[in-house]
Amino acid sequence: SNRGIVIGAGIGGLVSALELAARGVDVLVLERAGAPGGKMRQVGAGENAMDAGPTVFTMRWVFEELFASVGAHLADHLDLQPVGILARHAWQAGEQLDLHADVHRSAQAIGEFAGAQAARGYVEFCARARRTYRALERPFMRASRPGPFSLATRAGLSGLPDLLRISPFVTLWQALGDHFSDPRLRQLFGRYATYCGSSPFQAPATLMLVAHVEQDGVWLVRGGMHRIAQALVRLAGARGARFRFDAPVREILTRDGRTCGVRLADGEELAADAVIFNGEPAALAGGLLGKDSGRATRAVPPPQRSLSALTWNLVARSEGFELLRHTVFFSSDYPREFDDIVRRSRLPSEPTVYVCAQDRDETDHRNPTGPERLLLIVNAPARGDTRPFAPEEIARCESQTFRLMERCGLRLDPDPACTVRTTPHDFERLFPASGGALYGRASHGWMASFSRPGARSKLPGLYLAGGSTHPGPGVPMAALSGRQAAVSVLADLATARGRDIRSTPRSEPAVMPGGTSTR
């Protein structure tokens, strides 16, 4: 049988390994870390294991289709709980707004928060988000890697007015001004740009489709998001895939101008008919896996990188503010926050803070009497490979983070022995050549969605998967990239054997731009 190697056990790599193994390819997954998941990682804070990456499960249909395609049922492998309240948002003490999965409940809450005109603006915004999603679904989302011309061609004459109506040439921040005069609401919905590591002041208005994705359903994974990676490992293993952890790859090997295998850090060589790289494409372009694979894809210039983050996994007592599973504490000056991060490449002087309370679910929002597991995330520039932040810069940002939460009424008493901090420099170490960027290339400008590499690299036999490739960042997006890579490998192997490939999936997996990710 054909041999395939997958480098990296992130979601994209796990999905491609599952797809290939289910279709008879002899698959070996090599992962430099000691556990699967990639950015969907778990950390131990003291004796407490908790998620340290993505925190929400959306676009459930992506995983339902994936599991069905290999003869399994999603519900048999993951315990998913639908979320009624998407998030609680706070600006200062007594000034908070809950956004609901149900549009009408959200409109009612927005009306009470900011007036009837704001509620009407929200309903119009949701309709526009839905139109945006539908206009892009066929020509962009179901295409393997479209360019502007092919996007217009696929839309056809009848679809072109819809494409122009979704405002690809204005920023998300500008478009939100059409619907919300209240700056707090612009800030709330502008945050959708950060779901793919971008600034709302530079990202295109098309990213408002994230609002429609959320209304389509958000779920909690019982036991944590890391369970998704574990479920994929079990499922792929049952289909014949093999896994080796703590197995870093030093070089991708080539022969006669095509990929032929890999060399591990310990010198062991492994042959393969196809290699899928589920890592930061810039690592290839930078020669980190040998000079031959350096021509496989182009590097992303540092100014075009997406956001990084400064995160804290804590075990802490909380009081004074009722956290939900997802709570956002907003900075008082959003333009300045992104000016600091994007233009000045420094930690924000006052950051917006996202808190994931991992012990809270839909049934219990009351403050627990004892300590609870919390993940705090603030946006940061991706300069972990060039100018790591000095300890005093990090300490200043940390104190501002806790001061902002206190302004909104939340007091935390963390246990220093159960605190894990992750900086852009740490993310660069975890994901080499990223600079700490967590979402690949930033979605700045209308052309950015067409700039991500597709599944086929420029080196025959080497394929790409992961959140830095098409269709974009986020758990469902990375899964779709894994499906695209598997489809491409199967098609090319069949062509090499000179036979029909009707045994492989007939329709290309659906893909979409943007995507939800670490909040």
Side-chain angles (χ1 to χ4, degrees):
S1 67
N2 291 113
R3 287 170 298 181
I5 287 176
V6 177
I7 303 172
I11 292 302
L14 294 175
V15 167
S16 57
L18 170 60
E19 291 262 24
L20 292 176
R23 283 153 182 79
V25 177
D26 178 14
V27 182
L28 173 63
V29 181
L30 300 168
E31 169 56 55
R32 67 199 290 267
K39 294 187 178 77
M40 188 188 282
R41 63 198 184 98
Q42 232 178 11
V43 300
E47 294 180 1
N48 304 271
M50 63 181 108
D51 285 333
T55 59
V56 291
F57 188 85
T58 58
M59 295 174 65
R60 178 177 175 154
W61 60 267
V62 171
F63 285 90
E64 286 182 333
E65 284 185 9
L66 167 69
F67 278 55
S69 78
V70 298
H73 295 283
L74 180 65
D76 293 340
H77 296 267
L78 289 174
D79 187 355
L80 300 174
Q81 179 188 32
V83 172
I85 304 177
L86 299 176
R88 175 160 288 167
H89 306 83
W91 288 263
Q92 53 194 7
E95 190 177 24
Q96 55 182 263
L97 171 65
D98 291 352
L99 205 62
H100 300 261
D102 179 80
V103 172
H104 302 293
R105 288 192 69 183
S106 287
Q108 186 179 349
I110 288 169
E112 291 165 7
F113 178 75
Q117 186 181 351
R120 284 194 297 274
Y122 171 71
V123 172
E124 291 164 6
F125 166 71
C126 290
R128 185 173 174 184
R130 186 168 59 250
R131 284 197 304 273
T132 300
Y133 182 93
R134 287 181 177 161
L136 287 170
E137 183 181 22
R138 188 180 293 280
F140 191 100
M141 302 176 192
R142 297 189 181 277
S144 55
R145 187 178 173 243
F149 180 74
S150 62
L151 178 66
T153 306
R154 287 190 185 106
L157 285 175
S158 60
L160 278 176
D162 288 336
L163 283 182
L164 294 173
R165 252 199 306 276
I166 62 174
S167 318
F169 308 118
V170 301
T171 67
L172 179 59
W173 192 258
Q174 289 169 320
L176 290 170
D178 297 343
H179 304 281
F180 304 110
S181 58
D182 190 312
R184 298 169 303 177
L185 295 175
R186 264 176 107 172
Q187 195 175 22
L188 192 160
F189 295 107
R191 222 177 123 262
Y192 285 145
T194 67
Y195 284 29
C196 58
S198 305
S199 162
F201 303 96
Q202 293 173 260
T206 46
L207 285 183
M208 66 174 64
L209 62 77
V210 176
H212 181 70
V213 168
E214 284 199 331
Q215 284 148 17
D216 220 26
V218 174
W219 287 265
L220 303 181
V221 181
R222 206 176 294 280
M225 293 288 283
H226 192 65
R227 289 279 174 92
I228 301 170
Q230 293 167 337
L232 289 170
V233 168
R234 280 196 306 273
L235 201 55
R239 302 295 185 278
R242 292 170 293 128
F243 292 85
R244 284 172 64 175
F245 298 100
D246 298 306
V249 173
R250 187 200 305 163
E251 189 178 354
I252 294 171
L253 303 173
T254 60
R255 186 171 56 241
D256 301 328
R258 87 170 268 115
T259 309
C260 64
V262 302
R263 180 180 293 120
L264 302 185
D266 64 6
E268 182 184 0
E269 292 190 8
L270 300 165
D273 300 297
V275 173
I276 295 177
F277 180 66
N278 175 214
E280 184 58 47
L284 297 174
L288 270 61
L289 285 103
K291 66 176 194 305
D292 288 344
S293 57
R295 62 186 177 89
T297 186
R298 289 198 309 273
V300 176
Q304 292 175 25
R305 288 173 177 165
S306 62
L307 301 174
S308 185
L310 186 55
T311 73
W312 298 266
N313 282 90
L314 307 172
V315 176
R317 293 178 188 275
S318 66
E319 57 178 38
F321 183 102
E322 213 168 272
L323 291 167
L324 299 186
R325 179 63 162 251
H326 308 295
T327 307
V328 184
F329 299 92
F330 280 110
S331 65
S332 52
D333 189 339
Y334 221 35
R336 186 180 69 180
E337 181 180 348
F338 283 94
D339 187 63
D340 279 343
I341 297 169
V342 178
R343 193 171 72 84
R344 299 175 184 270
S345 192
R346 65 187 186 191
L347 293 172
S349 51
E350 186 187 67
T352 290
V353 188
Y354 163 70
V355 180
C356 178
Q358 298 190 20
D359 294 313
R360 302 186 187 218
D361 60 19
E362 286 295 285
T363 58
D364 186 12
H365 299 317
R366 293 163 303 165
N367 284 351
T369 51
E372 59 181 315
R373 298 174 304 153
L374 302 173
L375 168 63
L376 278 54
I377 302 175
V378 304
N379 292 316
R383 45 174 257 202
D385 54 344
T386 52
R387 291 180 294 137
F389 294 104
E392 57 269 21
E393 292 177 281
I394 291 167
R396 191 163 56 241
C397 186
E398 186 167 322
S399 68
Q400 282 295 110
T401 295
F402 283 83
R403 193 175 302 146
L404 175 78
M405 292 187 290
E406 281 178 20
R407 186 182 81 202
C408 297
L410 176 66
R411 289 179 302 283
L412 295 179
D413 181 20
D415 177 353
C418 299
T419 299
V420 177
R421 186 177 61 205
T422 311
T423 67
H425 184 56
D426 296 325
F427 284 121
E428 157 68 20
R429 277 209 308 270
L430 288 166
F431 312 113
S434 66
L438 296 172
Y439 315 85
R441 181 187 291 266
S443 297
H444 291 162
W446 72 278
M447 276 294 291
S449 294
F450 306 115
S451 302
R452 292 178 178 274
R456 287 183 175 89
S457 81
K458 293 176 184 169
L459 182 65
L462 178 61
Y463 304 81
L464 307 174
S468 295
T469 63
H470 182 77
V475 176
M477 303 295 104
L480 289 170
S481 80
R483 298 201 77 183
Q484 291 283 7
V487 165
S488 302
V489 168
L490 291 165
D492 293 351
L493 290 176
T495 301
R497 288 196 303 269
R499 65 169 181 78
D500 189 8
I501 56 163
R502 272 177 292 201
S503 60
T504 66
R506 287 192 189 166
S507 59
E508 287 204 323
V511 295
M512 69 177 267
T516 53
S517 191
T518 303
R519 284 171 169 259

